[in-house]
Amino acid sequence: SYALIAAALGAEVHAFEPVGTSFGHLVENTMLNDLQGRITCHPVALAETTGLAEIRLQWPYAGVASHSWNGKRRQGDGSFRFGINVIQERLDDFASRFKLPMPGAVKIDVDGREPNVIEGGREVLSEASSIMVESNIDKGMDTRVMLQGMGFKFIEQTLRSDNDYNMLFEKKRVR
């Protein structure tokens, strides 16, 4: 996981994971790698609004992707086994309320909800010097336009699968 690598390299990491099984693995891996002083795990979904949301899961296993958010997205074979209610927060509100430090680098991987996370975190994300976004073909252009509108420069795109890729953005800091 990117959180473990960043923390092992000395970064202070705030990792957000709303799905219980994946959150459990995040906590377990943090402890197994003795990184509890560097990684703070938050069982919260980041979004454009604060409230309660439903995530429809295809499978309850840790690390499984392609979930549906409030029934608005279908992927894979389209069959969702069950739904879970999660707390969702705007990143800007969460960071302000809990006095989180501003990030230097950010990794966003939210199953097609990248524009929603960016919309709810404009103030915090604007402080980062680099952002990596795992996106799918459907949301990639929206994400790119939003981040470029916030002053980030598109650096590169790396294909991960037929429909998914990583995009890297950087921002020059004015001193």
Side-chain angles (χ1 to χ4, degrees):
S1 132
Y2 289 92
L4 296 171
I5 294 167
L9 293 172
E12 178 182 347
V13 175
H14 286 267
F16 296 83
E17 177 53 63
V19 178
T21 50
S22 294
F23 182 79
H25 276 261
L26 173 64
V27 171
E28 180 182 17
N29 284 320
T30 297
M31 293 171 62
L32 288 172
N33 288 280
D34 198 25
L35 293 170
Q36 24 319 13
R38 294 211 169 272
I39 299 177
T40 303
C41 304
H42 304 283
V44 172
L46 297 178
E48 74 282 14
T49 59
T50 294
L52 193 62
E54 181 188 40
I55 298 177
R56 302 283 301 160
L57 305 175
Q58 288 191 38
W59 298 102
Y61 311 119
V64 173
S66 300
H67 304 309
S68 173
W69 198 268
N70 289 328
K72 298 204 175 169
R73 193 178 102 135
R74 297 178 65 87
Q75 253 193 357
D77 67 4
S79 59
F80 296 105
R81 302 325 188 254
F82 58 94
I84 59 170
N85 288 322
V86 299
I87 301 293
Q88 70 177 22
E89 292 261 359
R90 293 179 69 251
L91 176 57
D92 289 340
D93 295 343
F94 192 88
S96 174
R97 181 172 36 257
F98 297 107
K99 300 183 181 7
L100 300 185
M102 291 295 110
V106 174
K107 165 77 162 63
I108 301 173
D109 175 4
V110 289
D111 288 349
R113 294 196 39 89
E114 297 80 18
N116 306 79
V117 171
I118 294 166
E119 184 60 38
R122 287 181 175 273
E123 293 172 28
V124 170
L125 296 174
S126 291
E127 296 296 320
S129 58
S130 67
I131 298 178
M132 185 186 345
V133 181
E134 183 177 313
S135 192
N136 61 43
I137 227 117
D138 297 333
K139 300 294 181 179
M141 189 52 71
D142 294 343
T143 299
R144 191 169 170 170
V145 167
M146 289 178 83
L147 289 174
Q148 287 175 323
M150 293 167 57
F152 286 91
K153 180 181 177 188
F154 175 73
I155 302 300
E156 69 178 352
Q157 179 172 299
T158 307
L159 192 64
R160 292 179 35 93
S161 69
D162 289 344
N163 293 320
D164 296 321
Y165 47 86
N166 285 332
M167 295 184 292
L168 181 62
F169 299 86
E170 289 184 349
K171 188 178 207 179
K172 290 189 177 182
R173 294 200 174 264
V174 179
R175 295 189 192 248

